[in-house]
Amino acid sequence: MSWQQALYGSEVTKARTIYINNPLKNSFCTNSISTTKYSLWSFLPRYLYLQFSKAANAFFLIITILQQIPDVSPTGKYTTLLPLMVILTISGIKEIVEDYRRHVADKIVNAKKVIVLRQNSWHMITWKEVNVGDIVKTSNREFLSADMVLISSSEPQSMCYVATSNLDGETNLKIRQALPKTAEMKMEKQLLNLDGRIDCEGPNRHLDSFTGTFYLRGERPFPIGPDQVLLRGTQLINTQWIIGIVVYTGFETKFMQNSVQSPLKKSTVEKVTDMQILFLFLLLVVMAVVSCVGAMIWNKSYGTDIWYIKKFKDSSSHSLVFDMLVFIILYHNLIPISLLVTLEIVKYTQAQFINWDEDMHYKVNNVYAVARTSNLNEELGQVKYLFSDKTGTLTCNIMTFKKCTIAGIIYGQTPSYTTESQEFNDSKLLDFLENGHPTEKYIREFFTLLCVCHTVVPERDGNNIVYQASSPDEAALVKGAKRLGFVFTTRTPYSVTVEAMGEKYTFEILNVLEFSSNRKRMSIIARTPTGKLRLYCKGADTVIYERLSENSLFVKETLAHLEYFARDGLRTLCVAYTDLTEKEYKQWLQEYTKASICLDNRIQRMEECYDIIEKEFFLLGATAIEDRLQEHVPETIATLLKANIRIWVLTGDKQETAINIAYSCRLISGQMPRIHLNAKSLKAAQQIIDQNCKDLGNLLGKENDLALIIDGETLKHAFHPEIRKKLLALALSCRVVLCCRLSPLQKAEIVDLVKTEAQATTLAIGDGANDVGMIQTAHVGVGISGNEGMQATNNSDYSIAQFSYLEKLLLVHGTWNYFRVTKCILYCFYKNVVLCVVELWFAFVNGFSGQIIFEHWCISLYNVIFTSLPAFTLGIFEQCCSQRSLLKYPRLYTISQTGEIFSTKEFWIQCVNGVVHSFIIFWLSKKMLEKDTVLQHGYTTDYLFLGNFIYTYVVVTVCLKAGLETMSWNKFSHMAVWGSILIWLVFLESFSYFWPAVPIAPEMTRQGDMVMACPHFWLGFFLVPTACLIQNVIWKLIGNTYNKTFLEEVRELERVKVTQFDLSGMSESRQSLETFL
């Protein structure tokens, strides 16, 4: 799913009509769900299709098929088939286990019980038997089996409370209310006589919206909105029972519509690996062509004089195509057959290490870090640009009412960004209320608005009132008003009761004009206790100020106070009201009613209707709410900046608020120069960007200690094709970028721009639904498990509970995983080159006949058994240095960030190294046995005897090479290196006795005894691997002695257990690194 779909949802299907008490007319999907990938019958074909859609597996399948052609395969019919089957079996078992778990979970859900009205009485059925149009009864603490429209409930005014944490992660209860026309339909007879239909929108993934119209026979149609809809997966709380009509079932429910996988992302290393496999395939073709040419030359030179060759040559099947197939099969092991499954196991284990990390366990909520994908583990070690939301990501999203301005006067105390936050406290405000200050009526109206204009639900807990709010801001404002004597006590579907300074007032709620990210405000139309019609509104200053009456007071004073609050890093809302006439309201209500029952573009038409009446406001003042920084955010940001990670903050808050937070978390220092981009038109945006680019001169395109600050209005113009590249060049020249007043779409567009143009790895982190777009657009998406629900987490690649955990996720897990994966890949390429190129050297000896030097099954088991363990230990347990060092010296991150250890150069170095080692192994071994040898009991040597020598030396060499590559030895490393060599020797001895008891490999009979008894073998056992690896050892010693990298210096300090060191003593290479940074 793309980020555009994530923001706006999947395409809505056509509207549907649901007939009540007429099941034959309702034909929709069943309520049975299945989240499994396979069924019993589809597993084999689907699994094989998925596996062979991978290029490497498809290549080995083709080789397996070619090997079945008679007289073509020099390696036998089954030598590729066996390891391929082993790999497919391992992957298949993993798929079966995972899918079986999903199947069991689905079975439990589908078998749950629910009460349904059928055949004139209530029946208990399973969830999977529920159909659209069914009348369902659900009791307290039960989960809803399908999406349904609420008909009635056991509570007054047919209200009910539901917990939606399974859907959105929000822990506060939501209130739902049945329509007045159906509220009294509670008895069987009434429900059975219910006659009508529901017209509603098609299934979609929008949790907070629903558009429908209820038609009852003999009644006018009335609208159904999200307040009348109960969704599958929500739990009924504090309500004895509810009755509802099912509108969506199974995969059409909003819960299942949101159960989509994140878009498939491939890491940079994975893309480079695909190219390297392609290079190896081209090398394989070159080797085959060289061998074909060699065969032609040899046959032409010697074939005519040798009778058995001549006979074979006369065969019509001996052609260039035949030779080409023979040599492709002979050299196909150049491509490591086990690489994909090895990486899959390695990455899965790395993901478990992240999940198990106690340092990223947030004990307050008992939330662990979760790797939702294992494909991007190494990408965590290459992040160059970090895009972060502010609220709930850098801050706690725990709001505290700190200050306010009423009638041009500021109340409250200055906030402090500490872990402990004080509530609103100003005795002056209470004095003004009690002593009849001229602003007393404004103060009363201000706090009355805060108590009325919201969607908070109060709950009684003894003598205390607990407020359930959909957003932390609303809860903070209601709690703040309560502490000052304005207590919101009761909510019904049509009224709210407020106790103001000891006196109770009831406001009749006529309409709620809901908040949306486009509107940036919410309003309530209420009838006051004195009978007046009044519209209360609270929202962003930009939308409130453009709707103010010309006669509104305190406009300039409040604006100045808003800027002051923003400099303190506070979140602000303006509050205003307007009085309505009865005539004006009735005219508007007619338009509102028409818009509310329209199925097409209902939300848009209703918002247009809201705009008609939200005007001529009288400003009362503004609120200021503090959102404290999370713990260790400044330290984390400082560390990430030292790791050469550039941080961009993308927020919807005011510019002054974002700047203040940036100072608080040390993203911006007092000495850092700032570039402000604020433009109201395309021409102005172009001029200011051009001027700043000109001012930078030669510094443009280089990283400078600058901060760029841009707002959403300017960004809208700056994304014009003519200037977007200049904007990007300017932004990339700054160390810090703050983007303010952004919409969710603009966040995603910024990430996409940097991702595509800068050609660097990006990471986006956020905690809310408005961050989903940028999280899915970035190379790596990280979700914060916070107070804004689970939308960000559910669409992320990794989830953590605190921003500070990002430090270990990137600098430790990211660096380790990058080293592990790249070393594992390069080692797999190297060891296959060593084995395969030996066959090329042997071709020069055997007249390019296609004869193999190794036994068939030994070739098959090379990747599967004899050299697999070192690859696993490199990929799972390798550490370039300790966790403590990686966190203490963040510059170590630049090694993985720049990708210098997994470049095309490193790939070819390993390939050439493998070719050289194969050359030494083959020709030294051949030289040792150049003179024919007679062994005990009269046995003589043959080509396979030489082959077993060479195979042993290959295994020993590549295992010891893995040891040389290992930077962090542990018991698993020792077991892998020495254990693999021992496994081969034991196998060689035992395999020699298989035939004739096991009818395979008769040519290997007694080979183990012959090899082990030969003194040449043991001489070569020590000399040949030493001759191969001595160059690597010398090169490593020279590098570590005379050309130390910063990493080697840190590792040396670890070895001598030095905890402090003088930076002035570092080598020139490290000083050049500092200059680069």
Short mmCIF file of all heavy atoms in Angstrom, two decimals, residues 401-407 409-412 424-437 439-444 446-447 450 480-481 483-486 501 622:
data_model
loop_
_atom_site.label_atom_id
_atom_site.label_comp_id
_atom_site.label_asym_id
_atom_site.label_seq_id
_atom_site.Cartn_x
_atom_site.Cartn_y
_atom_site.Cartn_z
N PHE A 401 -2.47 21.81 31.23
CA PHE A 401 -2.94 23.18 31.05
C PHE A 401 -2.05 24.10 31.88
O PHE A 401 -2.08 24.08 33.11
CB PHE A 401 -4.41 23.25 31.51
CG PHE A 401 -5.06 24.58 31.28
CD1 PHE A 401 -4.61 25.44 30.29
CD2 PHE A 401 -6.15 24.98 32.06
CE1 PHE A 401 -5.22 26.66 30.07
CE2 PHE A 401 -6.77 26.20 31.85
CZ PHE A 401 -6.30 27.04 30.85
N LYS A 402 -1.25 24.95 31.19
CA LYS A 402 -0.25 25.75 31.89
C LYS A 402 -0.60 27.24 31.95
O LYS A 402 -0.39 27.89 32.97
CB LYS A 402 1.11 25.60 31.20
CG LYS A 402 1.65 24.19 31.19
CD LYS A 402 1.98 23.68 32.57
CE LYS A 402 3.14 24.41 33.18
NZ LYS A 402 3.55 23.78 34.46
N LYS A 403 -1.11 27.77 30.84
CA LYS A 403 -1.35 29.20 30.78
C LYS A 403 -2.61 29.48 29.96
O LYS A 403 -3.10 28.61 29.23
CB LYS A 403 -0.17 29.92 30.12
CG LYS A 403 1.08 30.00 30.96
CD LYS A 403 2.13 30.87 30.25
CE LYS A 403 3.37 31.03 31.11
NZ LYS A 403 4.34 31.97 30.49
N CYS A 404 -3.08 30.71 30.06
CA CYS A 404 -4.17 31.15 29.20
C CYS A 404 -4.14 32.67 29.12
O CYS A 404 -3.53 33.34 29.98
CB CYS A 404 -5.52 30.65 29.68
SG CYS A 404 -6.02 31.27 31.30
N THR A 405 -4.78 33.18 28.10
CA THR A 405 -4.98 34.62 28.00
C THR A 405 -6.48 34.86 27.85
O THR A 405 -7.13 34.26 26.98
CB THR A 405 -4.21 35.23 26.82
OG1 THR A 405 -4.60 36.60 26.66
CG2 THR A 405 -4.45 34.48 25.52
N ILE A 406 -7.05 35.70 28.72
CA ILE A 406 -8.48 35.98 28.72
C ILE A 406 -8.67 37.48 28.74
O ILE A 406 -8.12 38.16 29.62
CB ILE A 406 -9.19 35.35 29.95
CG1 ILE A 406 -8.89 33.85 30.05
CG2 ILE A 406 -10.70 35.58 29.86
CD1 ILE A 406 -9.40 33.21 31.33
N ALA A 407 -9.39 37.97 27.74
CA ALA A 407 -9.66 39.42 27.66
C ALA A 407 -8.37 40.23 27.70
O ALA A 407 -8.29 41.28 28.34
CB ALA A 407 -10.61 39.85 28.78
N ILE A 409 -5.47 39.48 29.10
CA ILE A 409 -4.63 39.34 30.31
C ILE A 409 -4.10 37.90 30.37
O ILE A 409 -4.86 36.94 30.20
CB ILE A 409 -5.42 39.66 31.59
CG1 ILE A 409 -5.95 41.09 31.53
CG2 ILE A 409 -4.55 39.46 32.83
CD1 ILE A 409 -6.86 41.44 32.70
N ILE A 410 -2.79 37.74 30.63
CA ILE A 410 -2.16 36.42 30.72
C ILE A 410 -2.28 35.90 32.14
O ILE A 410 -2.04 36.63 33.12
CB ILE A 410 -0.68 36.48 30.29
CG1 ILE A 410 -0.56 36.72 28.78
CG2 ILE A 410 0.04 35.18 30.66
CD1 ILE A 410 0.86 36.76 28.28
N TYR A 411 -2.60 34.62 32.26
CA TYR A 411 -2.64 33.93 33.54
C TYR A 411 -1.80 32.65 33.43
O TYR A 411 -1.76 32.00 32.38
CB TYR A 411 -4.07 33.54 33.92
CG TYR A 411 -5.02 34.72 34.00
CD1 TYR A 411 -5.82 35.04 32.90
CD2 TYR A 411 -5.11 35.50 35.14
CE1 TYR A 411 -6.70 36.10 32.96
CE2 TYR A 411 -5.99 36.58 35.20
CZ TYR A 411 -6.78 36.88 34.10
OH TYR A 411 -7.65 37.94 34.15
N GLY A 412 -1.16 32.29 34.55
CA GLY A 412 -0.38 31.06 34.57
C GLY A 412 1.08 31.32 34.78
O GLY A 412 1.54 32.46 34.83
N PHE A 424 -1.79 24.24 36.12
CA PHE A 424 -2.10 25.66 36.06
C PHE A 424 -2.28 26.21 37.48
O PHE A 424 -2.97 25.63 38.31
CB PHE A 424 -3.39 25.87 35.25
CG PHE A 424 -3.78 27.31 35.12
CD1 PHE A 424 -3.35 28.07 34.06
CD2 PHE A 424 -4.60 27.91 36.08
CE1 PHE A 424 -3.73 29.39 33.93
CE2 PHE A 424 -4.98 29.24 35.96
CZ PHE A 424 -4.54 29.98 34.89
N ASN A 425 -1.65 27.34 37.74
CA ASN A 425 -1.73 27.92 39.08
C ASN A 425 -1.53 29.43 38.97
O ASN A 425 -0.46 29.89 38.58
CB ASN A 425 -0.67 27.29 39.99
CG ASN A 425 -0.76 27.83 41.41
OD1 ASN A 425 -1.79 28.36 41.81
ND2 ASN A 425 0.33 27.71 42.16
N ASP A 426 -2.58 30.18 39.27
CA ASP A 426 -2.47 31.63 39.28
C ASP A 426 -3.59 32.18 40.16
O ASP A 426 -4.78 32.19 39.77
CB ASP A 426 -2.58 32.20 37.87
CG ASP A 426 -2.09 33.65 37.81
OD1 ASP A 426 -2.23 34.35 38.83
OD2 ASP A 426 -1.56 34.05 36.76
N SER A 427 -3.24 32.65 41.34
CA SER A 427 -4.25 33.15 42.30
C SER A 427 -4.92 34.41 41.79
O SER A 427 -6.04 34.73 42.20
CB SER A 427 -3.58 33.41 43.66
OG SER A 427 -2.52 34.34 43.52
N LYS A 428 -4.26 35.12 40.88
CA LYS A 428 -4.82 36.37 40.36
C LYS A 428 -6.15 36.13 39.65
O LYS A 428 -7.09 36.92 39.79
CB LYS A 428 -3.81 37.01 39.40
CG LYS A 428 -4.28 38.30 38.76
CD LYS A 428 -3.17 38.94 37.93
CE LYS A 428 -2.79 38.06 36.75
NZ LYS A 428 -1.81 38.71 35.85
N LEU A 429 -6.24 35.01 38.93
CA LEU A 429 -7.47 34.71 38.18
C LEU A 429 -8.64 34.50 39.13
O LEU A 429 -9.74 35.02 38.92
CB LEU A 429 -7.24 33.49 37.28
CG LEU A 429 -8.36 33.14 36.30
CD1 LEU A 429 -7.77 32.56 35.02
CD2 LEU A 429 -9.34 32.14 36.89
N LEU A 430 -8.41 33.74 40.22
CA LEU A 430 -9.48 33.50 41.19
C LEU A 430 -9.88 34.78 41.90
O LEU A 430 -11.07 35.01 42.20
CB LEU A 430 -9.02 32.45 42.19
CG LEU A 430 -8.79 31.03 41.63
CD1 LEU A 430 -8.22 30.12 42.71
CD2 LEU A 430 -10.09 30.45 41.09
N ASP A 431 -8.91 35.65 42.16
CA ASP A 431 -9.22 36.93 42.79
C ASP A 431 -10.12 37.77 41.90
O ASP A 431 -11.07 38.41 42.36
CB ASP A 431 -7.93 37.70 43.10
CG ASP A 431 -7.12 37.05 44.22
OD1 ASP A 431 -7.72 36.27 44.99
OD2 ASP A 431 -5.91 37.31 44.31
N PHE A 432 -9.82 37.78 40.60
CA PHE A 432 -10.63 38.55 39.66
C PHE A 432 -12.06 38.03 39.62
O PHE A 432 -13.02 38.79 39.49
CB PHE A 432 -10.02 38.49 38.27
CG PHE A 432 -8.78 39.35 38.10
CD1 PHE A 432 -8.08 39.38 36.91
CD2 PHE A 432 -8.32 40.14 39.15
CE1 PHE A 432 -6.96 40.15 36.76
CE2 PHE A 432 -7.19 40.92 39.01
CZ PHE A 432 -6.50 40.92 37.81
N LEU A 433 -12.20 36.69 39.72
CA LEU A 433 -13.53 36.10 39.68
C LEU A 433 -14.33 36.47 40.93
O LEU A 433 -15.53 36.78 40.86
CB LEU A 433 -13.42 34.57 39.58
CG LEU A 433 -13.35 33.95 38.19
CD1 LEU A 433 -13.10 32.46 38.30
CD2 LEU A 433 -14.62 34.21 37.40
N GLU A 434 -13.66 36.42 42.07
CA GLU A 434 -14.36 36.63 43.34
C GLU A 434 -14.63 38.09 43.64
O GLU A 434 -15.60 38.44 44.33
CB GLU A 434 -13.55 35.99 44.48
CG GLU A 434 -13.46 34.48 44.37
CD GLU A 434 -12.47 33.91 45.37
OE1 GLU A 434 -11.83 34.71 46.10
OE2 GLU A 434 -12.33 32.67 45.41
N ASN A 435 -13.79 38.98 43.11
CA ASN A 435 -13.89 40.40 43.49
C ASN A 435 -14.53 41.28 42.43
O ASN A 435 -14.43 42.51 42.48
CB ASN A 435 -12.48 40.94 43.82
CG ASN A 435 -11.86 40.19 44.99
OD1 ASN A 435 -12.58 39.78 45.91
ND2 ASN A 435 -10.55 40.02 44.96
N GLY A 436 -15.15 40.66 41.44
CA GLY A 436 -15.88 41.44 40.45
C GLY A 436 -15.02 42.28 39.54
O GLY A 436 -15.35 43.44 39.25
N HIS A 437 -13.92 41.75 39.08
CA HIS A 437 -13.04 42.45 38.14
C HIS A 437 -13.79 42.73 36.83
O HIS A 437 -14.70 41.98 36.46
CB HIS A 437 -11.79 41.59 37.87
CG HIS A 437 -10.71 42.31 37.13
ND1 HIS A 437 -10.63 42.32 35.76
CD2 HIS A 437 -9.66 43.04 37.58
CE1 HIS A 437 -9.58 43.01 35.38
NE2 HIS A 437 -8.95 43.47 36.47
N THR A 439 -13.16 42.08 33.94
CA THR A 439 -13.09 40.96 32.99
C THR A 439 -13.76 39.70 33.52
O THR A 439 -13.63 38.63 32.94
CB THR A 439 -11.61 40.63 32.66
OG1 THR A 439 -10.95 40.24 33.88
CG2 THR A 439 -10.91 41.82 32.04
N GLU A 440 -14.49 39.82 34.62
CA GLU A 440 -15.09 38.63 35.25
C GLU A 440 -15.99 37.87 34.28
O GLU A 440 -15.93 36.64 34.18
CB GLU A 440 -15.89 39.03 36.49
CG GLU A 440 -16.59 37.85 37.15
CD GLU A 440 -17.63 38.28 38.17
OE1 GLU A 440 -17.77 39.50 38.40
OE2 GLU A 440 -18.31 37.39 38.71
N LYS A 441 -16.85 38.58 33.54
CA LYS A 441 -17.78 37.89 32.64
C LYS A 441 -17.05 37.16 31.52
O LYS A 441 -17.47 36.10 31.06
CB LYS A 441 -18.80 38.87 32.07
CG LYS A 441 -18.22 39.91 31.12
CD LYS A 441 -19.35 40.75 30.50
CE LYS A 441 -18.79 41.73 29.47
NZ LYS A 441 -19.86 42.52 28.82
N TYR A 442 -15.92 37.73 31.08
CA TYR A 442 -15.13 37.06 30.05
C TYR A 442 -14.49 35.79 30.60
O TYR A 442 -14.42 34.76 29.91
CB TYR A 442 -14.05 38.00 29.50
CG TYR A 442 -14.59 39.19 28.76
CD1 TYR A 442 -14.57 40.46 29.35
CD2 TYR A 442 -15.12 39.05 27.49
CE1 TYR A 442 -15.06 41.56 28.68
CE2 TYR A 442 -15.61 40.15 26.80
CZ TYR A 442 -15.59 41.40 27.39
OH TYR A 442 -16.10 42.48 26.73
N ILE A 443 -14.02 35.86 31.85
CA ILE A 443 -13.41 34.69 32.49
C ILE A 443 -14.45 33.57 32.62
O ILE A 443 -14.17 32.40 32.32
CB ILE A 443 -12.82 35.06 33.86
CG1 ILE A 443 -11.67 36.07 33.70
CG2 ILE A 443 -12.32 33.80 34.58
CD1 ILE A 443 -11.14 36.62 35.00
N ARG A 444 -15.65 33.94 33.09
CA ARG A 444 -16.70 32.92 33.25
C ARG A 444 -17.07 32.29 31.89
O ARG A 444 -17.20 31.08 31.77
CB ARG A 444 -17.94 33.56 33.88
CG ARG A 444 -17.80 33.84 35.37
CD ARG A 444 -19.09 34.37 35.95
NE ARG A 444 -18.97 34.56 37.40
CZ ARG A 444 -19.20 33.59 38.28
NH1 ARG A 444 -19.56 32.39 37.88
NH2 ARG A 444 -19.07 33.84 39.58
N PHE A 446 -15.23 32.13 29.25
CA PHE A 446 -14.06 31.39 28.77
C PHE A 446 -14.07 29.95 29.31
O PHE A 446 -13.97 28.98 28.56
CB PHE A 446 -12.78 32.13 29.20
CG PHE A 446 -11.50 31.49 28.75
CD1 PHE A 446 -10.91 31.84 27.55
CD2 PHE A 446 -10.87 30.54 29.55
CE1 PHE A 446 -9.72 31.25 27.14
CE2 PHE A 446 -9.68 29.95 29.15
CZ PHE A 446 -9.10 30.30 27.95
N PHE A 447 -14.22 29.83 30.63
CA PHE A 447 -14.17 28.50 31.23
C PHE A 447 -15.47 27.72 31.00
O PHE A 447 -15.46 26.49 30.96
CB PHE A 447 -13.84 28.60 32.71
CG PHE A 447 -12.39 28.92 32.96
CD1 PHE A 447 -12.00 30.19 33.35
CD2 PHE A 447 -11.42 27.95 32.79
CE1 PHE A 447 -10.66 30.49 33.56
CE2 PHE A 447 -10.09 28.24 33.00
CZ PHE A 447 -9.70 29.50 33.39
N LEU A 450 -14.86 26.06 27.78
CA LEU A 450 -13.99 24.87 27.92
C LEU A 450 -14.77 23.68 28.47
O LEU A 450 -14.44 22.53 28.17
CB LEU A 450 -12.82 25.19 28.85
CG LEU A 450 -11.82 26.26 28.37
CD1 LEU A 450 -10.63 26.32 29.32
CD2 LEU A 450 -11.34 25.98 26.96
N GLY A 480 -8.27 21.33 33.59
CA GLY A 480 -7.83 22.66 34.01
C GLY A 480 -8.99 23.52 34.47
O GLY A 480 -8.90 24.22 35.49
N ALA A 481 -10.11 23.47 33.75
CA ALA A 481 -11.30 24.22 34.16
C ALA A 481 -11.84 23.71 35.49
O ALA A 481 -12.30 24.50 36.34
CB ALA A 481 -12.36 24.12 33.06
N ARG A 483 -10.20 22.46 38.03
CA ARG A 483 -9.38 22.92 39.16
C ARG A 483 -9.69 24.37 39.52
O ARG A 483 -9.39 24.81 40.63
CB ARG A 483 -7.90 22.76 38.81
CG ARG A 483 -7.40 21.32 38.92
CD ARG A 483 -5.89 21.28 38.80
NE ARG A 483 -5.45 21.73 37.48
CZ ARG A 483 -5.36 20.95 36.42
NH1 ARG A 483 -5.68 19.67 36.52
NH2 ARG A 483 -4.95 21.42 35.26
N LEU A 484 -10.28 25.10 38.58
CA LEU A 484 -10.60 26.50 38.83
C LEU A 484 -12.07 26.71 39.18
O LEU A 484 -12.56 27.84 39.18
CB LEU A 484 -10.22 27.34 37.60
CG LEU A 484 -8.72 27.38 37.31
CD1 LEU A 484 -8.46 27.96 35.94
CD2 LEU A 484 -7.98 28.18 38.38
N GLY A 485 -12.78 25.60 39.44
CA GLY A 485 -14.16 25.72 39.91
C GLY A 485 -15.21 25.56 38.85
O GLY A 485 -16.41 25.70 39.14
N PHE A 486 -14.83 25.25 37.61
CA PHE A 486 -15.79 25.02 36.54
C PHE A 486 -15.74 23.54 36.19
O PHE A 486 -14.88 23.08 35.43
CB PHE A 486 -15.46 25.89 35.32
CG PHE A 486 -15.65 27.36 35.56
CD1 PHE A 486 -14.69 28.10 36.24
CD2 PHE A 486 -16.80 27.99 35.12
CE1 PHE A 486 -14.87 29.46 36.46
CE2 PHE A 486 -17.00 29.35 35.35
CZ PHE A 486 -16.03 30.08 36.03
N MET A 501 -18.58 27.41 39.85
CA MET A 501 -18.45 28.10 41.14
C MET A 501 -19.57 27.74 42.08
O MET A 501 -20.16 28.57 42.77
CB MET A 501 -18.40 29.62 40.92
CG MET A 501 -17.37 30.10 39.90
SD MET A 501 -15.67 29.64 40.34
CE MET A 501 -15.38 30.73 41.72
N ALA A 622 -7.24 32.59 24.63
CA ALA A 622 -6.55 31.40 24.10
C ALA A 622 -6.00 30.59 25.26
O ALA A 622 -5.72 31.12 26.34
CB ALA A 622 -5.42 31.81 23.16
#
